[in-house]
Amino acid sequence: MQALIEKAVLGDAEAFLELMDKNSLAMYKVARAILNNDDDAADAIQSTILSCFEKIDTLKKPEYFKTWLIRILINNCNRILRHYKREKLPGQLPEAMRADSSLAEFEFKEMLSLVEEKYRLVLILYYLEGFKIPEIAVLLEMNVNTVKTRLARAREQIRTAYLQR
């Protein structure tokens, strides 16, 4: 992966496309967790890919490529959220569950719906994407203890919700 990143930094478009392909699922999970909408997630991912392609030569440390990529994605997602806050229509309904969703995907989405929005992204970055707590703190521009607290509160919210069923 390191060699692929270095090739992309040097301008190899094929290496860049391969990197985007390898990170597409991670980008989708993060964008979907923030935006709760497939179309908006696709827009954020598309903007992220374009930004990364234009700025890949500014990447200082190739070992932080995924962190750099996810940070750009989060910024794009936040831009979309700010846009919708200005234009939010009252009474919008959340996107319906797709009929072809697997049981595991359904259960995961249901679990995420049990926690407050501010905890969802931390859960996804930690459990699905495998980022460490200090990395999440850098990505989300928050204190390490805040990330730990959000993880603990999210776990407690899930536990409480499942015990009440």
Side-chain angles (χ1 to χ4, degrees):
M1 184 79 122
Q2 187 80 10
L4 197 59
I5 295 167
E6 289 170 3
K7 284 181 181 179
V9 169
L10 294 173
D12 185 333
E14 299 242 350
F16 179 80
L17 289 174
E18 191 174 337
L19 277 173
M20 292 300 107
D21 188 49
K22 288 180 184 283
N23 287 284
S24 62
L25 184 60
M27 288 191 293
Y28 173 76
K29 289 176 186 175
V30 170
R32 187 69 168 86
I34 295 171
L35 299 170
N36 291 320
N37 178 298
D38 283 335
D39 293 334
D40 291 338
D43 288 345
I45 291 167
Q46 185 176 11
S47 295
T48 299
I49 291 170
L50 181 60
S51 294
C52 288
F53 184 73
E54 292 171 345
K55 298 174 183 175
I56 188 102
D57 60 329
T58 65
L59 180 64
K60 305 240 185 300
K61 295 183 178 180
E63 62 269 19
Y64 294 118
F65 172 78
K66 188 171 182 180
T67 303
W68 176 76
L69 173 72
I70 298 296
R71 179 74 249 165
I72 292 170
L73 177 63
I74 290 169
N75 288 340
N76 283 324
C77 290
N78 288 336
R79 180 185 45 76
I80 290 170
L81 285 175
R82 282 191 303 274
H83 173 75
Y84 279 127
K85 280 185 182 177
R86 283 183 251 136
E87 294 185 3
K88 188 171 185 180
L89 300 173
Q92 283 184 325
L93 297 175
E95 190 176 295
M97 194 58 133
R98 292 188 322 267
D100 64 341
S101 294
S102 69
L103 181 59
E105 181 182 357
F106 176 78
E107 288 174 345
F108 180 73
K109 286 180 179 180
E110 182 181 10
M111 180 200 68
L112 284 178
S113 72
L114 298 174
V115 298
E116 291 178 43
E117 189 173 329
K118 65 182 179 181
Y119 303 135
R120 284 186 202 133
L121 183 56
V122 174
L123 284 172
I124 287 174
L125 291 173
Y126 186 77
Y127 287 108
L128 292 180
E129 297 309 316
F131 283 103
K132 293 177 177 61
I133 290 172
E135 294 172 326
I136 296 170
V138 169
L139 276 172
L140 301 179
E141 298 174 345
M142 59 178 62
N143 186 296
V144 169
N145 289 329
T146 304
V147 174
K148 289 178 183 177
T149 300
R150 287 189 180 188
L151 276 172
R153 288 182 180 163
R155 291 178 192 126
E156 182 59 28
Q157 283 184 4
I158 292 168
R159 189 181 71 74
T160 302
Y162 274 111
L163 289 176
Q164 291 176 353
R165 290 181 177 208

